[in-house]
Amino acid sequence: MSGPTELLLEVRGLAVHYGGIRAVKGLDLEVREGEVVCLIGANGAGKTTTLRALAGLAPSTGSIRYAGSEIAALPVHRRARLGIALVPEGRGIFPRLTVAENLDMGAYTRNDRVGISEDLERVYGLFPRLKERQAQTGGTLSGGEQQMLAIARALMGRPRLLLLDEPSMGLAPLAVEKIFETIRLIAAQGMTLLLVEQNARLALAASRRGYVLEGGRIVHQDQAPALLASPRVRAAYLGA
Amino acid sequence: MDVLLQQILNGLILGSLYAMVALGYTMVYGILELINFAHGEIVMLGAMVAVSVLALLTALGVPVPLALLAALTAAVAVCVATGVLVERVAYRPLRNAPRLAPLITAIGVSIVLQNLAMIFWGRQYLSFPPVLDIQIYEFAGATITNVQILIVAVAAVTMGGLLLLVQRTRLGRAMRATAQNREVAGLMGVDVNRVIAATFAVGSALAAVAGLLIAAYYGIAHYNMGFILGLKAFSAAVLGGIGNIPGALLGGLLLGVIESLGAGYIGDLTGGFLGSHYQDIFAFFILILVLIFRPSGLLGERVADRA
Ligand SMILES: Nc1ncnc2c1ncn2[C@@H]1O[C@H](COP(=O)(O)OP(=O)(O)O)[C@@H](O)[C@H]1O
Ligand SMILES: [Mg+2]
């Protein structure tokens, strides 16, 4: 153990391939308890694949240590039960379940009724729009509302590590604003976050540290302000 | 006697049996997009086991209600075990294979189960023991027997139970979530393999009850009864919209009524050329029409709605 807070996630030599295509080629990263870390990179760099491997959706090799134990061999639902929540790219709303049922699914592994209803009030407080729409099916929501629902649903599981894959993708500027405001709020309340974004400026502004992914490898890592100031990062990802 | 009313009544009774079987097809399709062609054989197993146990126990002098209950329990146990085993052994290894592979496997499983039944029970018809004193009631010019009433009542209670399970329980919610997005269900902590196994178990339990009722309805069971029955129930599921549970109910009832009316009037319609034993053609005629004109079925969602 090193540093002031404990390592929650420690990844060593993570590799994923799809048939002959190597999408992630031996990647190391770590996230401390309570930290917000982002993973930035161009389209196709391997960001989604990395998060899917961490959640157990993509078969991978290498070591994934989480909360002190090796989880690389565990199936997806066991990792979920350990407190790893992924808000997937494209949001993954259950289209024919209502908003309330989607949120219920987020709490699937829990049976503390009181805690669940407290958390339900909490996420309705974060996203009042969802409360208004609780009886509507997920498929009828707008893109921004679906993203809110996906984040709220993940929070309903009381995760210890929240993985967010491109929460701003395909949303109107106002909705992006709202989503990132909520992300900062959740982070301020102490949630540990690993955030993937193509919108590097937004992601770095919300994070403490960042990794830059290129062609399935980490090519750069630093504190977020340093990355924001780095000429290389500015040229490649910040359009400056 | 009011012939029209009588035909509709008969159709609804038959249709409630089709609906129970159609539910098994539609639930598995909803969760795996697999047409489980072996499902008709599960119904056959239920019928054969129920009739055998009932015959044995009544011959031993066991009271009828107890014998019926034991026959039902045995049928459910055998069907659930078989359905779950088939999923585990034949379908799960092909979960990510091209869709043709599990489909052909399903046909293979169906042939295997039919042959096993033939080896075990032989080729003769098993007759449902005459344990129930048939009473005939008459109303509004149509007749119905106590056995038919019992069949409809059991079918209604069983299917009502299924709807409650799917709509109101944690398992039901996990089933619906898994059907809509299997990966995300896993992310929620759902053990998807267990939910799929549970879906086969529930569908097979329904098939077992249906098998017993069908044997009671026709008075016989036979090792190859599952084939045509399976095709009809599949047609009913497609008619209602495959993957859609209320659709299977509606499709089953409608098919029963259409078949019954068709059988009643086919002689008149064809000037006596075709007799009522041609009633089986209606299911397939409807299947073809639905596939041409409304492939999503009566209540099915458009494909775009699926996640
Ligand atoms: N299911 C898949 N099958 C084959 N190749 C894939 C699949 N998913 C992603 N890839 C490939 O893996 C690489 C990384 O993709 P991805 O992780 O989605 O990148 P990012 O999220 O950074 O845009 C890309 O080259 C992509 O084409
Ligand atoms: Mg991506």
Side-chain angles (χ1 to χ4, degrees), chain A residues 47-48 89 165-166:
Chain A
K47 306 181 297 294
T48 295
E89 189 175 84
D165 196 350
E166 307 246 18

